[in-house]
Amino acid sequence: MLLTDSDLQAIWLTIRLAGITTLILLLIGTPIAWWLARSRAWWKGPVGAVVALPLVLPPSVLGFYLLLAMGPNGPFGQLTQSLGLGTLPFTFWGLVIASVFYSLPFMVQPLQNAFEGIGERPLEVAATLRASPVDTFFSVVLPLARPGFITAGILTFAHTVGEFGVVLMIGGNIPGVTRVASVQIYDHVEAMEYADAHRLAAVMLVFSFTVLLAMYTRRSPARKAA
Amino acid sequence: MKRLSALFVTLLTAAGLHAGEVQVAVAANFTAPMQQIAADFARDTGHKAVLSFGATGKFYAQIVNGAPFEVFLAADDTTPARLEKEGHAVPGSRFTYAVGKLVLWSAKADFVDAKGDVLKGGNFNKVSIANPKTAPYGAAAVETLKKLNLLDAVQPKFVQGENISQTLQFVHTGNADLGFVALSQVFKDGKLNGGSAWIVPGEFHEPIYQDAAILAKGKDNAAATALLAYLKGDKARAVIRSFGYDLR
């Protein structure tokens, strides 16, 4: 494998983007998933639908809205400017925010399933033992939902690595800042550097397959036990 | 009755002969003029040109891999030459349909001065350019900055569009203050559409010859031959010039 420095830079950037996005989504996605799993409010449906939107929306729609919203004339762009942060398109943190939206369902849905799978009983038992809700969450729910967290984390990470359309629309293809691996491959193809494209594409293929393989082989014995 | 049906048959075959269709891959910078030319072409010849717009490098990859395009209007002269050499374009069909002009453009009025000195001031957030590795307008922009001895100063502010349309869109939405784009994108009927601009003089970069060719898939399509002939005609040339291109 002879990857160029710029390929390695793109891979490292992709890993950083996916890692940070996964961490942020763990913090944001867990309470959302918990609420969706437990709530009986009428607006549970609408919230669930909004969370699932990135599954079906074309990345161009998300990219278009984000570009306008985060731009100098958009509401979010004006907020970041007034905070002295400048505007977010073409920056690493702009990509992080886009990825958080883009990968949201991949974090929330597996967690929601895991929380729903726990059922009422362990929580009631914990309550009769006078555990506080916070205590219950950390010492009962989290351990029981562990497989859900692992699935959600892996899926979110992998899905962010596979992001392309949104990055293309708001990234501006800046080396080391927004030129992630998927965009780097696209660049190689456009520049007719097919050998380079092949090498990097093979890395992505092997990575994606390994991740999914790890997830599915982990899953099957758990299912048998259940 | 017999005569009427004979007339009917004649009309049908005549229509069949003339109403051809041709699939055209068009470099993104030539979008606006080509839409106008295709409309004229349909009116004048009855042939329909079905247009796809995009980056020249991407079209190359698609054509080599069997895309159904019959005519290619590229943003450079090297890609059509390469396609011909590799047997994907009809030999002898290549010609320069336009010579591109580079422009430094801002969506804001009075932001860019007539000499491009705004680049020296450094008073801008980003400069949008097309990927210099793949897009001729991007390469010409880099060449221009080199000649101005400003490349090192401006490069950290580069943002790259996937093709020249996206390069303009970054400027248009205000996300980049400045952008190097094709004059044809911000120019119509002999004048600027809005914003402010420095039309980069030709001596700052290699000329951007944009070549057209009939592709292997269009070899026997009369509409493809007709379209290339039409592009060489006075009417099309006037349209091309009105968008700010030079002609060879």
Side-chain angles (χ1 to χ4, degrees):
Chain A
M1 277 311 220
L2 288 165
L3 291 169
T4 63
D5 284 349
S6 63
D7 286 346
L8 292 172
Q9 185 186 44
I11 290 175
W12 172 232
L13 180 73
T14 310
I15 292 172
R16 261 201 321 145
L17 176 67
I20 292 173
T21 302
T22 307
L23 282 180
I24 293 178
L25 272 176
L26 270 175
L27 296 178
I28 299 175
T30 306
I32 296 177
W34 179 249
W35 182 82
L36 281 171
R38 312 288 307 164
S39 172
R40 291 201 180 87
W42 67 266
W43 40 291
K44 177 181 162 171
V47 171
V50 168
V51 166
L53 264 183
L55 286 177
V56 292
L57 269 188
S60 50
V61 173
L62 203 54
F64 171 62
Y65 283 144
L66 284 172
L67 186 69
L68 293 188
M70 303 200 301
N73 306 316
F76 198 71
Q78 286 183 338
L79 176 74
T80 54
Q81 278 173 311
S82 66
L83 294 172
L85 299 170
T87 53
L88 285 172
F90 319 129
T91 66
F92 178 74
W93 288 101
L95 287 197
V96 169
I97 289 176
S99 307
V100 164
F101 280 111
Y102 179 71
S103 294
L104 185 65
F106 291 82
M107 178 62 77
V108 171
Q109 292 188 343
L111 286 184
Q112 186 185 343
N113 287 340
F115 292 154
E116 282 168 354
I118 293 171
E120 294 291 330
R121 185 140 177 83
L123 305 181
E124 285 165 6
V125 171
T128 54
L129 294 172
R130 300 209 172 167
S132 70
V134 176
D135 188 13
T136 307
F137 186 80
F138 282 100
S139 37
V140 177
V141 175
L142 279 194
L144 285 176
R146 217 181 80 121
F149 274 97
I150 292 173
T151 304
I154 290 176
L155 273 182
T156 303
F157 188 90
H159 189 246
T160 309
V161 168
E163 190 176 345
F164 174 68
V166 179
V167 178
L168 197 70
M169 287 192 71
I170 67 163
N173 199 355
I174 303 168
V177 180
T178 59
R179 186 182 290 165
V180 297
S182 59
V183 174
Q184 174 84 352
I185 292 172
Y186 186 78
D187 261 19
H188 281 320
V189 175
E190 291 249 297
M192 305 173 200
E193 299 161 347
Y194 291 174
D196 294 311
H198 269 306
R199 276 192 284 269
L200 197 50
V203 170
M204 297 295 276
L205 183 66
V206 169
F207 164 79
S208 306
F209 178 74
T210 312
V211 164
L212 293 176
L213 184 70
M215 211 174 70
Y216 283 111
T217 43
R218 256 187 52 81
R219 240 187 201 177
S220 27
R223 214 179 262 157
K224 264 175 229 151
Chain B
M1 187 64 205
K2 203 175 173 188
R3 212 185 284 164
L4 197 66
S5 58
L7 179 70
F8 197 59
V9 167
T10 320
L11 277 176
L12 269 183
T13 43
L17 273 179
H18 286 285
E21 206 175 87
V22 51
Q23 300 278 344
V24 193
V26 184
N29 76 79
F30 202 62
T31 301
M34 195 55 201
Q35 280 165 339
Q36 199 173 323
I37 291 169
D40 291 342
F41 179 63
R43 222 174 296 126
D44 293 347
T45 67
H47 294 309
K48 190 175 171 215
V50 182
L51 310 177
S52 304
F53 304 102
T56 296
K58 186 168 50 202
F59 278 136
Y60 170 83
Q62 293 176 346
I63 290 163
V64 168
N65 289 293
F69 299 118
E70 297 168 302
V71 166
F72 186 23
L73 305 186
D76 62 6
D77 52 357
T78 50
T79 308
R82 182 167 172 182
L83 284 169
E84 182 178 316
K85 211 174 83 192
E86 292 170 354
H88 300 290
V90 175
S93 67
R94 270 189 299 135
F95 80 101
T96 303
Y97 65 92
V99 183
K101 266 196 218 154
L102 183 69
V103 64
L104 179 70
W105 188 74
S106 171
K108 300 178 221 169
D110 304 321
F111 194 79
V112 181
D113 53 284
K115 284 182 176 165
D117 285 338
V118 60
L119 286 167
K120 289 178 196 146
N123 216 348
F124 47 88
N125 62 354
K126 299 277 182 209
V127 179
S128 178
I129 68 164
N131 189 344
K133 223 164 60 175
T134 55
Y137 286 90
V142 168
E143 233 182 300
T144 301
L145 288 168
K146 247 185 222 160
K147 202 149 239 174
L148 291 166
N149 276 325
L150 286 171
L151 186 60
D152 291 337
V154 174
Q155 199 155 28
K157 295 188 170 181
F158 276 178
V159 292
Q160 278 182 28
E162 187 265 310
N163 58 38
I164 202 73
S165 299
Q166 196 191 23
T167 306
L168 173 67
Q169 173 236 309
F170 285 156
V171 191
H172 214 267
T173 53
N175 280 299
D177 283 335
L178 293 170
F180 279 103
V181 296
L183 181 58
S184 54
Q185 296 174 282
V186 293
F187 200 76
K188 207 183 168 196
D189 299 328
K191 61 177 198 303
L192 214 59
N193 265 340
S196 51
W198 170 48
I199 299 174
V200 180
E203 70 261 23
F204 281 85
H205 58 80
E206 292 288 311
I208 305 169
Y209 293 126
Q210 303 194 189
D211 281 9
I214 297 180
L215 300 171
K217 288 219 157 74
K219 194 163 58 101
D220 301 318
N221 185 347
T225 320
L227 179 62
L228 249 65
Y230 195 83
L231 277 167
K232 293 177 188 165
D234 289 341
K235 197 165 172 181
R237 284 168 73 91
V239 173
I240 293 170
R241 213 179 265 124
S242 76
F243 279 93
Y245 290 97
D246 279 336
L247 291 165
R248 208 175 181 183

